[in-house]
Amino acid sequence: MTSFLIPAFLLLVLVLVLLLRPFIFPAKGELTSRRQMNAAIYRDELEKLEAERESGVINAVDYEISHAEMRQRLFQDTSEEDDRAVMGSSKKTIIGLCIFIVLLSSVMYFSLGDATRVAERNAEQPMTREGVEKMVAEFATKMEKDPSNLKGWAMLARSYRILGRNQEAAVAYEGAGSFIDSDPQLLADYADVLATNANGSFTGKLTQLINKALKLDPNNLMALWLSGTASYTSGNYKAAVQAWEKLAQQLPPGTEEARSIEGSIADARSKGGLPSASPVAAGGKSISGTIEITADLRPKLKAGDIVMVIARNPGERMPVAVLKTAASEFPMSFSLTDALAMNPSAPLSKLSEASIEVRVSKTGMAKPEAGDLISSAKTVKVGSSNVRLLVDQVRQ
């Protein structure tokens, strides 16, 4: 609020100075009044009349008549009250103008509302689908004129995908070129669009995109789902179960998504003649506990935030296992198992101790970003339960 009021006050002072400059800085020399100007004009006319009489242009009678008329007019014009005398006090004029401008500004400010309230009212206006379609169309026109803007094509592809326009989304993802090659989520989204357009046929480029996304992020939810679906469609039920079980480990228990993926796993096991899943062996195979967040950081949580629980070999930067799940009610439970290992040949159970921490991300990207909510790293024994992790910091 102060950052607005100070510039507004300074701007008001500047306006007043510009408007009142003639009163604040009056002319140094005395100005000629209207009475003086009239007298000078008539004096010149009388001199001309006198010259015409002496040169014989007019006779004595005409001279007297014209001279009498001029004297009468001069008397009438110079008898009016001098304009400099009727102007009044400049001090009163300054005070009056200042009060008027300040009152007018205050009335407009409080009637229309401050800048924050105006912005809030504008934000409250609902965005219709027609409005979104128009914005996307304008953006698409802009991108056609700038085809080298790869990031812009990726943004356009996401917009088309949200609108359900998958054919246009596929074209836009193609235009994004190498920009999406290092982003597992964009690769997975592109694969999802292609799968929709191909009516569930997982061949060629689609499979390449899924594998590339999982290589960059083995725990990407969309890529795991698509990978399992591709395996299920081709009859490789064992691979489908493995992908979907890894996906299920990252979903909050009891949610609709978790129940849906459990049903898909059970169906794949049944069709593939696979045995039922056995529980994770106790003693050194997992790390479980709860995640809490401080009261001052709770308002920073937004819908769509991703909670990541990261386990590392103490002293190393490369994660051993990563759990990704949607932010829900806190405190929330977590469980790190071998199914979440970044490298199947180096599972969590091979470690005696692990350094674990929590990061709440807006994007779910592997690389930490400014604004992420984080906890301090805690070293615990593999097999520990009831581990408490507290999110109490904001990454700068």
Side-chain angles (χ1 to χ4, degrees):
M1 190 66 176
T2 304
S3 61
F4 167 75
L5 290 178
I6 292 177
F9 175 75
L10 294 177
L11 183 60
L12 179 60
V13 171
L14 177 61
V15 171
L16 290 174
V17 169
L18 293 176
L19 289 175
L20 304 176
R21 183 181 177 187
F23 301 100
I24 301 174
F25 307 105
K28 295 182 179 179
E30 189 173 348
L31 300 175
T32 303
S33 69
R34 185 170 56 193
R35 180 186 296 176
Q36 292 173 334
M37 293 177 64
N38 289 338
I41 292 172
Y42 284 116
R43 184 166 54 251
D44 291 341
E45 292 186 357
L46 287 172
E47 289 176 356
K48 291 179 181 179
L49 184 63
E50 182 67 26
E52 290 177 351
R53 184 182 68 83
E54 292 178 353
S55 62
V57 175
I58 60 175
N59 55 36
V61 177
D62 292 336
Y63 171 77
E64 289 299 332
I65 294 173
S66 298
H67 194 277
E69 290 178 353
M70 286 187 182
R71 286 200 305 271
Q72 181 65 23
R73 285 158 46 200
L74 177 62
F75 175 76
Q76 291 175 350
D77 290 344
T78 56
S79 65
E80 296 178 2
E81 190 173 7
D82 200 327
D83 55 350
R84 286 189 301 167
V86 299
M87 283 181 62
S89 170
S90 60
K91 183 176 181 180
K92 292 181 180 180
T93 304
I94 293 174
I95 294 175
L97 283 174
C98 288
I99 294 175
F100 172 74
I101 292 175
V102 171
L103 288 177
L104 178 63
S105 302
S106 300
V107 170
M108 292 181 67
Y109 177 81
F110 289 108
S111 62
L112 297 177
D114 56 38
T116 303
R117 291 204 298 270
V118 171
E120 289 176 351
R121 284 201 296 270
N122 291 336
E124 290 173 358
Q125 298 179 357
M127 176 65 74
T128 63
R129 182 178 177 86
E130 291 76 14
V132 175
E133 292 274 6
K134 182 179 178 181
M135 292 174 60
V136 173
E138 292 174 351
F139 187 41
T141 302
K142 179 181 178 182
M143 290 309 305
E144 289 176 359
K145 298 177 181 178
D146 186 17
S148 61
N149 185 356
L150 303 184
K151 183 178 181 181
W153 282 109
M155 293 174 61
L156 179 61
R158 276 183 164 176
S159 301
Y160 278 139
R161 182 170 177 265
I162 292 172
L163 293 173
R165 296 165 59 177
N166 292 307
Q167 296 292 342
E168 292 97 327
V171 175
Y173 274 122
E174 184 69 27
S178 60
F179 179 80
I180 67 174
D181 288 345
S182 59
D183 190 323
Q185 189 58 53
L186 287 176
L187 290 168
D189 291 343
Y190 187 10
D192 182 50
V193 166
L194 293 181
T196 303
N197 292 341
N199 295 320
S201 175
F202 291 82
T203 56
K205 186 173 184 178
L206 175 52
T207 304
Q208 295 175 10
L209 290 171
I210 297 172
N211 293 336
K212 194 170 185 179
L214 288 175
K215 185 177 181 180
L216 292 172
D217 181 7
N219 295 314
N220 184 275
L221 301 182
M222 177 61 73
L224 284 172
W225 166 252
L226 292 172
S227 177
T229 304
S231 298
Y232 182 93
T233 303
S234 65
N236 188 351
Y237 299 110
K238 182 177 181 180
V241 168
Q242 290 175 343
W244 285 341
E245 281 186 337
K246 195 169 185 179
L247 171 60
Q249 291 284 344
Q250 303 181 64
L251 297 176
T255 62
E256 183 178 349
E257 292 82 1
R259 288 191 293 269
S260 176
I261 196 67
E262 287 170 1
S264 298
I265 293 172
D267 180 54
R269 286 186 179 280
S270 174
K271 289 186 176 181
L274 302 174
S276 301
S278 57
V280 177
K285 296 298 183 182
S286 66
I287 301 174
S288 61
T290 58
I291 304 170
E292 300 178 7
I293 187 170
T294 57
D296 59 314
L297 294 185
R298 190 177 293 271
K300 295 182 179 295
L301 290 172
K302 304 296 181 183
D305 287 356
I306 303 297
V307 177
M308 293 186 285
V309 184
I310 305 167
R312 295 183 174 90
N313 193 354
E316 297 183 3
R317 295 181 59 185
M318 188 65 183
V320 175
V322 178
L323 167 66
K324 283 186 181 181
T325 183
S328 58
E329 293 296 324
F330 284 85
M332 60 186 299
S333 301
F334 75 92
S335 178
L336 290 170
T337 67
D338 287 346
L340 301 175
M342 299 294 290
N343 183 356
S345 63
L348 180 66
S349 59
K350 286 190 175 182
L351 301 179
S352 59
E353 291 183 333
S355 173
I356 60 174
E357 60 183 278
V358 179
R359 178 161 62 89
V360 182
S361 170
K362 304 297 181 186
T363 61
M365 298 295 290
K367 182 179 179 181
E369 299 173 310
D372 287 350
L373 308 181
I374 59 176
S375 72
S376 298
K378 178 180 290 188
T379 301
V380 300
K381 292 186 178 296
V382 175
S384 299
S385 58
N386 299 323
V387 176
R388 178 177 177 270
L389 299 174
L390 179 64
V391 178
D392 58 354
Q393 304 170 49
V394 179
R395 183 178 177 83
Q396 304 299 323

